[in-house]
Amino acid sequence: MSRKNSLFSLLFIILFNVMTYGQDVKVSREIGIRNEFVYEIMPDLKGNTLVYRDRGNQFYFDIFSSNLDFQRTAEINFEQRRVNVLQVAPFDTTIHIYFNYYQQDTFYFSRLIYSAEASFIRQDTLVKIDRSAVKEKFRFAISQDQTKIALFSIGENLTTAVFDVGAGVLLYQNILKLTGIGERENFRNFTVTDDGNVFVLFEVDNDSGEKNHHFNLLKSIDNQTYSLHRIPMPNKYSSGVKFAYDNKNRRLGIAGLYSNKYESETNGYYMLNTKVSELQTDEGFVFVEYDDDLVREMYGKKKGKNNEIRDQVIKKLVWRADGGLILITEMEKEYVRRSALSTIPTLGSPSLGSQNYSNRGLVDYYHEDMMIFSVFPDGTEHWRKILFKKQFSQDDDGAFSSFFLFATPSRLHIVYNDEIKNSNTISEYVIDPLGRFERNAVLNTDYQGLKLRFQDAVQTGSNSFVVPSEKNYKLSLVKVTF
């Protein structure tokens, strides 16, 4: 080994040792959430962390300092009695709450603006739409830099309205008939870019009765019309798809796993990665089939049949600095132990129409080994890895399983619960740009009363993240700094 390579390896080992033993962990006080419909964690630009809580007709902010010291609780007041909150997002030094409501024959899309300290600033109406034109439920998307927001609905038509957040003005609004393009159940992704353009992805005919499965990608043009891009998948079926847009380099990526027969038995991955300026009307995927070595590594010495890897689904699609993509998958399985219809209520129990626990199906959740594929911009595979983990839980919707992806300029951290139980070790895989990795212990929850939901963690800086702990209807925040 050369002196240069030896020095790099030594620095690499030192860096990992620092990561392993240098974490700073802080835990907030508990918040009661028994009556909450939903909560959301968000950082502001002053280093604080806010928790938004929705009780259906009561709304709150809980404010914590950068060290997770509790500051205060602020009630959020709407002028209207019945509102539907769509999104809560920080912008500059403020927090914006986007919501809609109906008043007589009019649909209103509005926002509340609060300071970072949760003090009310103002309420704006962004757009008004005749109620007769609102036939489908509206959904919401926000750009990566949070300067553009989009309100959209998908039914017989695609209705889109895009707004500039800073100015609070409507940039454009249009309606596109979807006949021959896609249907609501085929909708997969809606993305609004930092410059206000829109991409909409539909997956068409993805079932065993169709031989010409394909995707339809819509791209907005000049903020007024759409171009249609058809991407075929002949004789293949998708087990899930992710769309990613690189605002810096103006590239788009579509990727997932495919099967030759059944969605649960994947045979490889597919990927499209192109500059938006080079996007063609008829595009094509790069298909990469699993080879013997990959299948053998996943299952050990016993080779899987026909180079199949079972129950893997795509979870993340991450941009590389060179314009390439990293595809991260995870094994997911669910087993129903008892059908909700197979249980007869005992004497004195509530009726079958109730939500009695004994009438619900009991489900086992498995979240296990992950595959990572790092691919150059031209579709050539750079490296691949299999990362092993085993997570098992029961009757919790898998809320404490899976992982959190924490990205730094030079590393990816995959952080997860080793086991789904009260006393548990939190581990991470740290991966460098060449695919080298190491597994570290981050912290231990013994006697701390923590049960961490890593799927809902939020990155708060280049070296820190906050993850919620939820146990016995009590919510606390855990901040990890590397």
Side-chain angles (χ1 to χ4, degrees):
M1 181 182 293
S2 69
R3 180 179 178 183
K4 181 178 180 181
N5 288 337
S6 298
L7 180 59
F8 180 84
S9 298
L10 178 61
L11 291 173
F12 188 72
I13 293 170
I14 293 172
L15 175 62
F16 272 126
N17 287 335
V18 170
M19 289 178 175
T20 304
Y21 300 108
Q23 294 93 350
D24 178 44
V25 180
K26 299 184 184 300
V27 182
S28 77
R29 77 171 211 180
E30 293 179 333
I31 303 170
I33 56 170
R34 180 178 293 272
N35 298 316
E36 265 63 13
F37 287 178
V38 66
Y39 65 83
E40 186 169 352
I41 298 170
M42 69 194 71
D44 69 11
L45 296 184
K46 295 186 177 181
N48 297 328
T49 298
L50 280 72
V51 178
Y52 164 77
R53 293 188 286 127
D54 180 347
R55 290 186 173 180
N57 56 5
Q58 293 178 302
F59 309 86
Y60 302 94
F61 279 128
D62 295 296
I63 308 166
F64 296 85
S65 72
S66 59
N67 291 322
L68 293 189
D69 295 322
F70 177 75
Q71 305 293 305
R72 68 187 183 95
T73 296
E75 186 171 2
I76 302 167
N77 295 305
F78 294 88
E79 295 177 4
Q80 296 73 29
R81 292 184 59 186
R82 300 180 65 180
V83 300
N84 175 39
V85 176
L86 298 168
Q87 182 82 25
V88 182
F91 175 74
D92 198 7
T93 58
T94 58
I95 303 292
H96 292 198
I97 305 172
Y98 297 97
F99 65 99
N100 61 26
Y101 65 93
Y102 292 95
Q103 195 170 80
Q104 296 181 345
D105 295 328
T106 305
F107 170 90
Y108 290 84
F109 175 55
S110 303
R111 68 177 176 181
L112 284 178
I113 302 179
Y114 277 76
S115 71
E117 294 78 24
S119 297
F120 174 77
I121 297 177
R122 69 176 187 273
Q123 177 172 319
D124 297 333
T125 295
L126 299 178
V127 69
K128 295 185 286 187
I129 303 174
D130 187 274
R131 187 166 189 167
S132 63
V134 182
K135 298 181 179 180
E136 304 292 340
K137 182 179 179 180
F138 274 96
R139 294 185 250 189
F140 190 88
I142 191 165
S143 65
Q144 184 179 26
D145 68 356
Q146 299 180 325
T147 63
K148 306 296 186 300
I149 56 173
L151 190 69
F152 68 97
S153 69
I154 296 175
E156 294 180 357
N157 300 320
L158 169 65
T159 302
T160 306
V162 178
F163 305 84
D164 181 276
V165 173
V169 297
L170 177 68
L171 297 178
Y172 65 93
Q173 181 178 359
N174 54 37
I175 299 176
L176 175 69
K177 195 168 185 63
L178 290 177
T179 303
I181 297 174
E183 299 176 351
R184 182 170 54 185
E185 59 267 26
N186 297 328
F187 167 74
R188 295 295 178 265
N189 181 269
F190 184 104
T191 295
V192 58
T193 68
D194 291 351
D195 57 12
N197 280 318
V198 163
F199 292 91
V200 190
L201 185 67
F202 293 90
E203 186 176 19
V204 183
D205 298 330
N206 186 36
D207 60 67
S208 58
E210 299 289 342
K211 293 296 185 182
N212 293 307
H213 168 221
H214 61 279
F215 290 90
N216 283 334
L217 177 67
L218 296 174
K219 175 189 177 297
S220 64
I221 302 175
D222 300 326
N223 299 333
Q224 294 297 325
T225 60
Y226 286 92
S227 62
L228 174 62
H229 307 271
R230 187 175 183 275
I231 315 166
M233 288 189 68
N235 301 314
K236 293 179 173 62
Y237 313 105
S238 170
S239 70
V241 64
K242 292 292 182 183
F243 178 92
Y245 185 77
D246 182 354
N247 285 281
K248 180 179 179 180
N249 298 303
R250 296 177 182 268
R251 300 184 71 93
L252 67 89
I254 303 173
L257 302 180
Y258 73 86
S259 172
N260 295 325
K261 292 183 179 180
Y262 309 105
E263 292 181 35
S264 63
E265 298 179 352
T266 62
N267 298 98
Y269 63 89
Y270 61 90
M271 186 172 290
L272 168 66
N273 181 0
T274 182
K275 293 181 179 179
V276 174
S277 60
E278 298 175 0
L279 184 64
Q280 303 297 315
T281 302
D282 291 314
E283 283 289 351
F285 287 117
V286 172
F287 294 94
V288 180
E289 186 176 11
Y290 303 143
D291 59 27
D292 292 347
D293 292 338
L294 182 69
V295 177
R296 191 177 298 112
E297 183 180 355
M298 174 65 76
Y299 294 116
K301 293 181 180 180
K302 182 179 178 181
K303 178 183 173 183
K305 63 176 184 177
N306 301 322
N307 282 15
E308 293 173 351
I309 297 179
R310 296 180 295 277
D311 302 309
Q312 288 282 332
V313 295
I314 182 170
K315 300 302 290 283
K316 300 288 183 181
L317 192 58
V318 182
W319 288 104
R320 293 168 31 135
D322 64 355
L325 284 167
I326 297 174
L327 188 155
I328 303 176
T329 77
E330 184 181 39
M331 190 279 277
E332 289 186 355
K333 289 188 297 187
E334 295 182 14
Y335 291 115
V336 178
R337 305 196 306 278
R338 181 181 67 198
S339 169
L341 299 179
S342 66
T343 303
I344 300 174
T346 58
L347 184 65
S349 66
S351 67
L352 282 172
S354 76
Q355 294 299 310
N356 184 10
Y357 178 81
S358 65
N359 293 328
R360 297 201 299 265
L362 304 180
V363 184
D364 295 338
Y365 295 92
Y366 296 84
H367 290 73
E368 298 186 354
D369 307 326
M370 299 177 291
M371 299 189 296
I372 303 182
F373 303 94
S374 185
V375 183
F376 288 113
D378 65 358
T380 304
E381 187 174 279
H382 182 191
W383 53 263
R384 68 189 186 200
K385 297 293 177 184
I386 292 178
L387 306 180
F388 295 101
K389 68 178 179 70
K390 289 188 179 295
Q391 295 170 316
F392 168 75
S393 63
Q394 295 179 313
D395 312 321
D396 65 351
D397 291 326
F400 303 95
S401 299
S402 200
F403 62 91
F404 169 59
L405 183 66
F406 174 69
T408 68
S410 60
R411 299 290 186 272
L412 289 179
H413 298 245
I414 295 175
V415 190
Y416 61 96
N417 289 307
D418 262 353
E419 298 177 274
I420 312 305
K421 61 180 186 179
N422 292 332
S423 297
N424 171 47
T425 300
I426 311 303
S427 296
E428 66 169 354
Y429 282 104
V430 187
I431 310 164
D432 80 349
L434 298 180
R436 293 172 295 194
F437 69 90
E438 187 160 302
R439 185 175 179 272
N440 300 321
V442 178
L443 61 99
N444 192 290
T445 64
D446 285 353
Y447 312 111
Q448 297 185 49
L450 299 176
K451 201 168 182 183
L452 302 176
R453 298 180 57 138
F454 279 105
Q455 295 183 67
D456 300 307
V458 176
Q459 186 161 342
T460 55
S462 61
N463 65 339
S464 65
F465 66 86
V466 172
V467 55
S469 171
E470 188 178 321
K471 186 177 179 182
N472 298 328
Y473 300 104
K474 299 288 186 180
L475 171 69
S476 57
L477 308 180
V478 179
K479 184 174 183 178
V480 179
T481 303
F482 291 94

